[in-house]
Amino acid sequence: MPGAGWTELPLRTRHQPEPPSHERTDLSSGLLMLICGDVIRPGPPWVLTRTHRCAASVAAEARDPEGFARLAELAVSQTHSGKDAQIAATRIATVPACEGGLIRDITVGDCVEPFDTQRRVHVRGGQHKVDFYPRLRALGTFPEDVPATIRACEQALGRLSIEELVDRYPIRRRAIRDLLVEHLRERQPSLDFAILDAISRTLAGLFWARIEELSSGIDPLQLSPALARA
């Protein structure tokens, strides 16, 4: 019967002169294969905070050879640098990793979601973080009338309310959440949306959500000196 002897595998492994590797790189490569094979589908925050140098090449081979070949041809035709093209391809590979499908199945909404997630989880990369969108647009993946930039897409899809800005972060204390909402609403008339977004990210994400992560049972606004320094 296939698989009947699986219980003996650990015993056989113990007697091998060189047991199988459990190096971090080997484990991450195995995980990458499971993702590209649609065995598991991680969420955008997990994918965007963990990069693998072979993510694009494995996705090209295992998931969508035609789509990534067209992407490579575009990079050559537009004389993009190899590094920029690799970063964009890796970012594009994260979308089907989370949503399934092929490059041609990616929608504008699929791009806006990870773009917003990148800001919430503070992914570095500057312009490289959004360079994947114009490449997909140039491939003809989107309708012809879509905005030229992903930031314009956000504006077209509508801006988040004050409550939605704060609720992007897992704040468990309702009183603190309401306090942040009230504070931002008071400041809203004198700020543009970009600054309001940045302040909400700092207060709700970098400040209070981080505090609750360090001390889940904290009494609101009564921080010990040690916790304040952390």
Side-chain angles (χ1 to χ4, degrees), residues 70 137 179:
R70 292 182 60 216
R137 187 171 180 266
L179 179 63

Side-chain angles (χ1 to χ4, degrees), residues 51 69-70 178:
T51 58
R70 292 182 60 216
D178 292 343

Side-chain angles (χ1 to χ4, degrees), residues 101-171:
L102 307 175
I103 288 180
R104 66 170 179 263
D105 301 318
I106 296 176
T107 66
V108 173
D110 291 334
C111 296
V112 172
E113 180 184 5
F115 176 60
D116 181 62
T117 302
Q118 285 175 163
R119 291 184 299 188
R120 287 192 287 113
V121 298
H122 316 296
V123 174
R124 297 180 179 180
Q127 180 61 28
H128 294 310
K129 294 192 298 184
V130 297
D131 190 39
F132 68 95
Y133 177 84
R135 294 173 191 255
L136 289 172
R137 187 171 180 266
L139 284 179
T141 304
F142 307 138
E144 294 182 358
D145 59 346
V146 300
T149 67
I150 196 168
R151 291 186 175 89
C153 285
E154 276 199 314
Q155 295 176 355
L157 293 173
R159 292 176 174 175
L160 298 177
S161 66
I162 296 295
E163 289 81 0
E164 289 171 332
L165 287 173
V166 174
D167 289 341
R168 293 180 297 178
Y169 307 96
I171 296 177

